[in-house]
Amino acid sequence: MSPSDHLLELIRSMPDIRGLLRTSFEFDVERRECGEGLRLAAGGLLEPIAGDFTGGAYFLCAEVGGRRPVVFASSDGVCGLLADDLAGALEIIAGLQWRDCLGFSGGGDLEVMLASAQHLERYLARDNPQIVEERARVAAGLSLRVVPVPDLVVRLQEAASRTEPHYVVATDDGDVYGVAFGDYSEPRLGGWR
C-alpha cells in the first residue's frame, strides 16, 4: 500500500477526522465523483480522491520519484499543483486558507501571498475560534506536522509555480484549465478590512 493510499484509508477509518476535513477544510473523501472527465493536459491520468463544497476536486497524479503529487481543479476552471505528496497537500489544506491565498496572490507573488495569508488567518480566527484546535486534531490524527503559515505559503507558491506544463488539468474535450494564481493582491471594493 502506497503512503497516499494508507493516508486515505486512515482518513476513511476515522469519522471524527474525516468530518473535520469535510466541514472545516473542504476535503471530503466521500465526494470522489467530483472531477469526472478530467485528465492532465500532458496526457497523464488523474485519480480523484476528494471533493470540495463547490464541485472542485483533489487528484493524485502518477508516481514521480516514489511520491504521488496532488492537484486541485476547481469548478471554475482553474487548477494547481498543491504538493508532491498527499501528506504535504493535507498540511497545506488544513493549515492555510490556500484557495484565497492563491486567489489574492498578485499573479503568484510570494510577498503578496504572505500578506494575504496574514489577513486571511485573522478573518478565519474571528469566524472559527476553534481553528487552531481543529488543525492540531487533524495533524495528530494523521501524523502530520503543524507547519507555520508562512512556511505553508512558501510551499504552496513553489508547488503552484510548477503547475505548468506537467500538472495542468484538461477536460476530455480538450479544454485546458487556467493556473490558480489570481491577479488581485486583495479583495476589490474595500481591500482587506
Side-chain angles (χ1 to χ4, degrees), residues 176-193:
V176 178
Y177 279 43
V179 178
F181 289 125
D183 293 328
Y184 298 107
S185 58
E186 60 185 37
R188 297 186 315 176
L189 307 174
W192 298 113
R193 291 185 186 190

Side-chain angles (χ1 to χ4, degrees), residues 1-14 27 29 32 46-50 59-63 66-70 84-88 90 142:
M1 180 180 285
S2 75
S4 296
D5 291 332
H6 174 73
L7 200 47
L8 288 168
E9 194 58 40
L10 190 59
I11 292 168
R12 288 185 192 104
S13 72
M14 301 173 72
F27 184 87
V29 295
R32 290 187 305 267
L46 294 170
E47 178 186 338
I49 56 171
F59 300 95
L60 285 175
C61 300
E63 188 174 305
R67 300 165 86 183
R68 294 191 68 192
V70 176
D84 291 327
D85 60 22
L86 183 56
L90 286 169
L142 300 177

